[in-house]
Structure formats: C-alpha cells, structure tokens
C-alpha cells in the first residue's frame, strides 16, 4: 500500500453525535486515512476509573452506571440504524456492571484495566456504525488482537515485535479493503488479559499502530488546533506552534504537556512518520506538524506542566565525602522498580521526584518497604502537592539564559531546579498552588515579549 494515514480522535472529538460526525467528515476528506483510532467518549474513562477504584455505595454505583448508559444512549438514539451497535454497547454495559460490583468488593489493577477498557470498546462500535451510515465502508476491529503488551496493568509496555507482526498480518490486509476503526489505550497480554497503556494512552496506541502498519502519516485530532507554547487553558495568550521537532515535542510530552501521551513520538521517530496535531472542531484552522527536521529552533519553545509530583529527600551525614551512598540508594530503588525522574544532590542530601501516569491516577507513593530500606541508610522525607514546570528550548547552555529565566521567578518558592543536564529543558519543581502562576509568569516574560518583539 502506498500512502496510509492513521487518524486518532481523542475523547472530546468523539464526545457526542455531532462531534463524531465531524470526525467522520475528517476521515472522508482524506482517502489515505484507512485506520482510525478512537478514545472513549469524553468523561467515560473518568467514570470507569471511579468504578474500578471500588464504589461500595450502591446508589453512587448505580448513578455512575446510569451516566455511562446515558452518554452512549444519546448518541445511539441519533443513529438511523443503531440496533446492532446498541446491542453491542448494552452488552458491554452489562459487563461494566458486574466488574464494578466485583471492584467494590476487591479492586485490583487487572480488574481496573478490564473495566476502563470498556470505554474505547463502546465508542468504536458507535463510531464505526456512524461512518457506515454516511456511506463509508467502515469495520470495527478489536485492537487487543494486535496490541500485545506485558502484564504491567495500568501502564503496560507494548511488545513491539509482536505488534508489528500482528499488525502486518491482521490490520494491513483489512485496511486494504475497509476503513478500520479501532481502540486506543487498550491492549492485551500474552494470556489474553486486557491491559491499558496509562491515562491518555490513545495517542501512544495510534503511534504504535502507525508504526506497526508502516503508515506514512499520523494525525492526532483533539480539541485544540495544534501544540501551543503552553496549555492555553493556563495561559490564554499561548499560541500554536506551526512546526516542531520530534525531540522538542517529545520533551514537552515527557514533561507533562497533556496534548500528547509521553511516549507518543517514540514510534513516530523510529519510523520517521510525520505527525499532525489539529482540532477536530476546526480542521480548516491548521495545526502543528511534528517532524524530524524543522526550520527554526528558538531559545524558548514551550512550557509544560506536570501535576501530582512527589519529592523524596534523603539526608545522611554519612553521605559527606562518602563513596557509594548514591549507588546504594539507587540499588534499593531499582530493586523495587521505582523510577526516578528528577534528581539533585548536595553534600549531605539528595532529592528526587517520582512520577506516575498509570491508569488509576493519583500522586505516586513511596512504598513502605522501600521507605524502610532507605531509612536504614538515611532519613527519608516525602512531600506531595508539588508540580513540575519544564521550559523546553534550544541552546540552553548559552550565557544569560538562566538569568533571563530566573529573574522572572523571584516571587516564587522554587523547590528544586534541574538545569544543565540537557540542552533542551530546564525543570523547576514548585508548590502546586504556585504552578499556574509560574507558568503564566514565564509565558508572559519569555514568550509574549518575544512575540511582540
Ligand atoms: P484528547 O482527549 O484529544 O486526547 P487531551 O485533553 O488529552 O485531548 O489533550 C488536549 C488538551 O491538552 C488541550 O485541551 C489542552 O488543555 C491541553 N494541553 C496541555 N498542554 C498543551 C499544549 N502545549 N498545547 C496544546 N494543548 C495543551
Ligand atoms: N480514554 C483514555 C483516557 O481518558 C485514553 C485516551 O483518551 O487517550 O485516559
Ligand atoms: Mg489525550
């Protein structure tokens, strides 16, 4: 197959009948789009996560189930011939009811994944039917037959070789005949258990699928016309970036810009697949192209914000001029598979942050067993309610860069600063209550000034 485009639609893009119809029009407009990856309808995953966490109160459970039924019913009722899709959706709603009851007795990560996957399983039945009603030859495909992952429920790792093989075997021939509509976010392990790639994982799914079928293009359709200099909900004067490199956009995603799941660009980079990010509400308005090579590399590219950070500070007088302290700390963390994000050290202390983006949400915790082991070496202090602000740019080692940034932040309590390790990012940990203000201040001083200049 020559040109093959994968189009991914996020939750707001498939929120209701009108939104889904806009997606269908976008798909129709590009004959190269043979594969469509859809999220759950807006709000559905949050409802499912609440159920999966275990809702013991029967009334509340019934209320959540009713909300789920209403969201889907409303769209189904606007289809001309929705009977078959409706029966599929109702049977999934039955499954949700029993899984939610099971979760109210005993929640588990395995059960959570089974339950939250139902959102995408439902939305794709409806979207495929809506597309057929517009005259498109659309078929729904269960991506769990291709998206092989490990069994790390809540944040499963894709198994690339199996995915590529299965995609070539099962998806490519199907795309030659039909427009295939499939689920983002979900996969299955070797034993056939349903897994998920973590919240926001549909972007990553779409990129993995694009890689697996050797697509020539990937479109991420969302609710904003491209990647902005920062989240426009925080800084309304943020502007869309017409073109950005894979590495800059990866940094943004990694540091929390919600517009893309952190791993999205890895498959695109590996296969050099250009990625377009645009708004399904306003497809004519253009968007952002993410490519390997881009023309400009400005000093200040974007600001990203990551909430829910946990900082661990380890202090030991013995660390002073001692060998091996850090090695021991990391040995303990590695043994318990705790992934460290940022780190700064002084002569007697080391501070590090933990991040978590798995499906169940919430702030990352330092497990008690790890804390106890660390306490044999040093004192351990754990702080929540912190946010990470990342400034993404180029040539950050240049003279005057740090001064320009930090001179604007005099009014804030900066809890941790990581600068210098990378040429492309500068990270600052701040109290959660200051985070939006820090973003707004940096945006005003570093981005809005530059625009006017
Ligand atoms: P979808 O459901 O389509 O995946 P998301 O809500 O996950 O959409 O991501 C889109 C949202 O990301 C936007 O509405 C915006 O608030 C937020 N966002 C965060 N950082 C940025 C950024 N740099 N540019 C654009 N949007 C951003
Ligand atoms: N539906 C999932 C979520 O809300 C995945 C996604 O939309 O990307 O996290
Ligand atoms: Mg998203």
């Amino acid at each position: 197959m020559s040109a093959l485009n994968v189009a991914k639609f996020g939750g707001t893009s498939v929120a209701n009948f009108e939104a889904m119809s806009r997606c269908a029009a976008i798909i129709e407009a590009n004959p190269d789009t043979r594969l469509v990856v859809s999220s759950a309808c807006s709000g559905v995953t949050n409802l499912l996560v609440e159920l999966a966490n275990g809702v013991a109160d029967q009334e509340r459970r019934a209320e959540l189930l009713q909300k789920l039924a209403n969201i889907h019913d409303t769209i189904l009722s606007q289809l001309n011939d929705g009977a078959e899709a409706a029966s599929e959706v109702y049977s999934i709603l039955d499954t949700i009811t029993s899984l939610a009851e099971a979760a109210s007795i005993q929640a588990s990560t395995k059960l959570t994944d089974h339950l939250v996957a139902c959102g995408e399983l439902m939305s794709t039945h409806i979207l495929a039917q809506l597309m057929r009603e517009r005259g498109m030859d659309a078929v729904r495909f269960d991506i769990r037959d291709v998206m092989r992952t490990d069994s790390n429920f809540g944040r499963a790792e894709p198994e690339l070789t199996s995915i590529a093989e299965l995609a070539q075997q099962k998806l490519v021939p199907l795309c030659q005949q039909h427009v295939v509509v499939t689920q983002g976010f979900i996969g299955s392990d070797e034993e056939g258990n349903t897994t998920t790639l973590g919240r926001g994982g549909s972007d990553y799914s779409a990129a993995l699928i694009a890689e697996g079928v050797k697509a020539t293009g990937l479109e991420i359709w969302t609710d904003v016309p491209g990647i902005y200099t920062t989240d426009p909900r925080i800084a309304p004067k943020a502007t869309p970036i017409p073109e950005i490199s894979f590495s800059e956009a990866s940094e943004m995603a990694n540091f929390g810009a919600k517009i893309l799941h952190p791993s999205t660009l890895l498959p695109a980079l590996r296969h050099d697949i250009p990625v377009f990010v645009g708004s399904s509400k306003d497809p004519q308005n253009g968007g952002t192209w993410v490519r390997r090579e881009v023309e400009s590399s400005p000093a200040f590219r974007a600001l990203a914000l990551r909430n829910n950070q946990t900082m661990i500070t380890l202090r030991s007088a013995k660390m002073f001029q001692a060998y091996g302290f850090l090695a021991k700390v990391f040995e303990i963390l590695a043994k318990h598979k705790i992934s460290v994000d940022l780190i700064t050290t002084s002569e007697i202390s080391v501070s590090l942050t933990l991040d978590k983006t798995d499906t169940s949400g919430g702030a990352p915790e330092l497990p008690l067993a790890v804390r106890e082991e660390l306490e044999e070496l040093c004192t351990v202090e754990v702080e929540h309610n912190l946010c990470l602000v990342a400034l993404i740019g180029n040539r950050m080692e240049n003279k005057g860069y740090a001064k320009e940034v930090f001179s604007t932040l005099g009014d804030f309590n900066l809890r941790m600063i990581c600068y210098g390790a990378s040429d492309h990012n500068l990270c600052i940990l701040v109290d959660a209550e200051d985070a939006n203000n820090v973003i707004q201040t940096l945006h005003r001083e570093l981005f809005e000034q530059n625009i006017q200049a």
Side-chain angles (χ1 to χ4, degrees):
M1 192 178 284
S2 46
L4 198 173
N5 187 48
V6 175
K8 177 258 168 177
F9 296 91
T12 44
S13 300
V14 293
N16 52 43
F17 185 83
E18 292 71 33
M20 280 196 184
S21 304
R22 283 194 292 268
C23 300
I26 290 171
I27 300 160
E28 269 166 343
N30 184 353
D32 294 338
T33 302
R34 310 295 298 170
L35 247 164
V36 175
V37 177
S38 176
S39 289
C41 304
S42 183
V44 165
T45 310
N46 287 348
L47 295 168
L48 292 169
V49 168
E50 187 174 344
L51 288 169
N53 288 341
V55 178
D57 176 355
Q58 271 203 28
E59 240 173 70
R60 175 72 187 146
R61 216 162 64 225
E63 192 187 324
L64 294 170
L65 291 166
Q66 192 55 54
K67 280 190 184 166
L68 284 170
N70 291 348
I71 293 171
H72 298 94
D73 258 342
T74 312
I75 318 180
L76 285 165
S77 68
Q78 293 173 77
L79 293 171
N80 293 327
D81 184 12
E84 209 179 308
S87 103
E88 298 284 2
V89 167
Y90 293 150
S91 123
I92 297 169
L93 284 168
D94 285 344
T95 307
I96 294 174
T97 307
S98 9
L99 292 174
E101 196 181 332
S104 73
I105 299 161
Q106 173 124 48
S108 75
T109 52
K110 185 172 168 183
L111 206 155
T112 296
D113 275 4
H114 194 174
L115 192 46
V116 299
C118 292
E120 274 69 9
L121 292 172
M122 291 189 283
S123 64
T124 43
H125 272 298
I126 304 179
L127 180 60
Q129 176 58 24
L130 182 145
M131 287 165 62
R132 283 191 289 270
E133 292 187 6
R134 293 172 65 108
M136 302 164 81
D137 179 9
V139 293
R140 176 184 179 274
F141 179 83
D142 190 327
I143 203 63
R144 289 173 296 182
D145 292 340
V146 164
M147 189 57 66
R148 215 32 95 252
T149 70
D150 66 9
S151 305
N152 188 12
F153 298 107
R155 197 175 180 170
E157 273 300 319
E159 288 176 355
L160 302 180
T161 317
S162 309
I163 294 170
E165 269 172 30
L166 292 165
Q168 287 299 321
Q169 224 178 66
K170 302 190 176 188
L171 272 178
V172 171
L174 204 59
C175 303
Q176 280 158 355
Q177 309 291 330
H178 313 275
V179 180
V180 178
V181 178
T182 194
Q183 305 79 27
F185 183 50
I186 74 172
S188 73
D189 69 5
E190 221 180 352
E191 286 162 24
N193 299 306
T194 300
T195 55
T196 63
L197 304 181
R199 290 306 302 267
S202 291
D203 303 323
Y204 189 25
S205 298
L208 289 164
I209 294 167
E211 179 179 41
V213 298
K214 299 195 168 64
T216 47
L218 169 62
E219 295 168 358
I220 306 274
W221 293 100
T222 178
D223 60 354
V224 279
I227 302 179
Y228 279 55
T229 45
T230 193
D231 189 338
R233 287 186 213 191
I234 302 177
K237 287 198 177 157
T239 47
I241 303 169
E243 200 188 42
I244 185 170
S245 68
F246 279 130
S247 49
E248 289 170 312
S250 291
E251 295 259 6
M252 285 182 76
N254 262 326
F255 285 113
K258 193 187 165 219
I259 181 98
L260 292 178
H261 178 279
S263 308
T264 310
L265 295 167
L266 300 175
L269 179 63
R270 281 194 296 262
H271 275 79
D272 210 358
I273 305 169
V275 180
F276 174 80
V277 182
S279 165
S280 65
K281 284 187 193 140
D282 193 7
Q284 310 307 331
N285 200 2
T288 300
W289 279 102
V290 191
R291 296 196 172 97
R292 188 180 292 274
E293 303 287 345
V294 293
E295 278 183 10
S296 76
S297 55
F300 303 116
R301 176 61 99 179
L303 289 162
L305 175 66
R306 210 202 262 160
N307 295 315
N308 265 336
Q309 300 298 289
T310 299
M311 177 164 79
I312 317 285
T313 304
L314 309 171
R315 284 196 185 82
S316 166
K318 281 186 246 151
M319 186 177 164
F320 185 57
Q321 291 186 341
Y323 297 100
F325 174 78
L326 280 181
K328 280 186 205 138
V329 166
F330 279 99
E331 196 183 300
I332 296 171
L333 295 172
K335 192 172 81 187
H336 292 274
K337 296 201 165 101
I338 305 278
S339 112
V340 171
D341 197 30
L342 296 186
I343 173 160
T344 57
T345 58
S346 77
E347 278 170 340
I348 55 151
S349 73
V350 45
S351 296
L352 41 95
T353 61
L354 310 176
D355 182 41
K356 177 172 150 179
T357 50
D358 76 5
T359 297
S360 61
E365 293 294 340
L366 187 68
L368 189 61
V370 187
R371 184 176 185 136
E372 283 170 357
E373 254 186 79
L374 288 169
E375 276 171 347
E376 285 171 24
L377 283 182
C378 52
T379 63
V380 179
E381 194 186 326
V382 179
E383 281 181 81
H384 295 297
N385 263 331
L386 296 163
C387 288
L388 178 71
V389 173
L391 172 62
I392 299 28
N394 296 285
R395 300 171 304 280
M396 288 191 163
E397 78 289 2
N398 279 3
K399 209 170 141 197
Y401 200 102
K403 185 173 169 226
E404 199 172 349
V405 175
F406 292 114
S407 62
T408 66
L409 295 176
D411 293 340
F412 300 102
N413 185 13
L414 310 183
R415 306 297 312 280
M416 192 199 243
I417 297 168
C418 288
Y419 174 51
S422 158
D423 227 16
H424 296 286
N425 70 63
L426 184 167
C427 296
I428 306 165
L429 201 66
V430 297
D431 294 325
E433 62 200 25
D434 288 340
N436 282 6
N437 210 346
V438 168
I439 292 269
Q440 285 153 1
T441 305
L442 284 173
H443 197 268
R444 191 177 55 242
E445 299 301 326
L446 305 179
F447 291 80
E448 292 162 34
Q449 307 287 330
N450 286 359
I451 291 163
Q452 282 155 20

